[in-house]
Amino acid sequence: DSGVTQTPKHLITATGQRVTLRCSPRSGDLSVYWYQQSLDQGLQFLIQYYNGEERAKGNILERFSAQQFPDLHSELNLSSLELGDSALYFCASSVGGDNSPLHFGNGTRLTVT
Amino acid sequence: AQSVAQPEDQVNVAEGNPLTVKCTYSVSGNPYLFWYVQYPNRGLQFLLKYITGDNLVKGSYGFEAEFNKSQTSFHLKKPSALVSDSALYFCAVRDIQNTDKLIFGTGTRLQVFP
């Protein structure tokens, strides 16, 4: 068990809808990262937060947004969903810094129909 | 830009034989390299990392990786494969120029046959 909790595990929704994915990092970890895993794109970095502040943005669409709350949990909001947004969304956390590994949750599988 | 490449989509090996999963890297400056494993319907699990020091890094579940600066490689190895090692393996590099996020390779599926 990595200590990173993601909810829900599965999400099925229709095109055009909006969903929220939730992540609780490991105790003591200040950094939260969001990744998207799809068959054709592999693991793509979306966004990173560190202690409540956005630290880096990757290939995140404008329809997607995220935030990290004072208790350090994070939410990824996906809106105006398209079929191509169907993927596994992973949250990872770390204490921060170059040497620390990322610890991943089990992911949320999003299916857009 | 930092990047890693995994040239093999799949590696097949018989149980008990040694295994190697290949990874090459391209970085500016010192490389910070990682290996992760992903089992079906699970997140990625950290196996090992190279930051500095010995070129042979030992990790979890009997895995090790050899850092080779001249060949810009960081191959994952195990002396004797188990059927339970069958999974998807990812090499990653830390993007120290931009942030501390990890950039992942495309993954290599390891299949160990009994």
Side-chain angles (χ1 to χ4, degrees):
Chain A
D1 183 11
S2 69
V4 178
T5 303
Q6 288 189 248
T7 57
K9 292 183 180 179
H10 303 278
L11 206 47
I12 301 174
T13 189
T15 54
Q17 295 298 304
R18 172 189 169 94
V19 297
T20 297
L21 282 53
R22 182 188 169 100
C23 170
S24 294
R26 290 192 325 160
S27 176
D29 286 356
L30 299 179
S31 273
V32 169
Y33 311 75
W34 285 97
Y35 283 84
Q36 180 194 57
Q37 185 180 32
S38 58
L39 284 175
D40 56 345
Q41 294 289 325
L43 267 165
Q44 296 290 316
F45 169 72
L46 296 178
I47 197 164
Q48 178 197 1
Y49 281 83
Y50 179 81
N51 203 20
E53 299 289 327
E54 181 183 303
R55 180 144 183 200
K57 259 186 175 179
N59 302 319
I60 187 166
L61 300 172
E62 286 191 10
R63 300 183 284 109
F64 296 0
S65 64
Q67 54 185 326
Q68 186 179 28
F69 295 87
D71 67 353
L72 301 179
H73 92 270
S74 178
E75 292 181 356
L76 179 66
N77 300 297
L78 315 176
S79 62
S80 302
L81 286 167
E82 302 175 358
L83 294 177
D85 297 328
S86 297
L88 258 174
Y89 291 85
F90 286 110
C91 169
S93 72
S94 78
V95 296
D98 296 339
N99 292 344
S100 60
L102 273 60
H103 298 274
F104 283 78
N106 287 334
T108 293
R109 182 172 293 280
L110 174 66
T111 302
V112 182
T113 61
Chain B
Q2 324 279 68
S3 67
V4 289
Q6 294 181 245
E8 302 157 317
D9 289 336
Q10 179 152 333
V11 169
N12 299 318
V13 64
E15 188 174 32
N17 283 1
L19 70 88
T20 299
V21 182
K22 296 180 181 178
C23 172
T24 58
Y25 64 88
S26 174
V27 302
S28 302
N30 295 323
Y32 292 65
L33 299 162
F34 299 77
W35 274 102
Y36 282 80
V37 59
Q38 184 180 24
Y39 296 100
N41 301 315
R42 301 295 300 274
L44 279 72
Q45 295 179 33
F46 168 70
L47 281 178
L48 50 82
K49 65 180 180 181
Y50 173 83
I51 305 300
T52 186
D54 290 340
N55 290 340
L56 187 63
V57 179
K58 294 192 182 297
S60 305
Y61 311 122
F63 283 93
E64 56 191 26
E66 186 172 9
F67 173 72
N68 188 315
K69 188 173 183 178
S70 63
Q71 297 186 4
T72 62
S73 67
F74 188 56
H75 299 334
L76 181 70
K77 301 183 178 188
K78 188 173 182 181
S80 179
L82 299 173
V83 172
S84 58
D85 292 331
S86 299
L88 190 56
Y89 289 80
F90 289 93
C91 180
V93 63
R94 185 141 250 161
D95 183 16
I96 60 173
Q97 290 186 316
N98 186 10
T99 176
D100 58 358
K101 71 178 187 289
L102 290 182
I103 298 171
F104 286 89
T106 50
T108 298
R109 185 163 301 281
L110 173 67
Q111 190 72 47
V112 182
F113 295 96

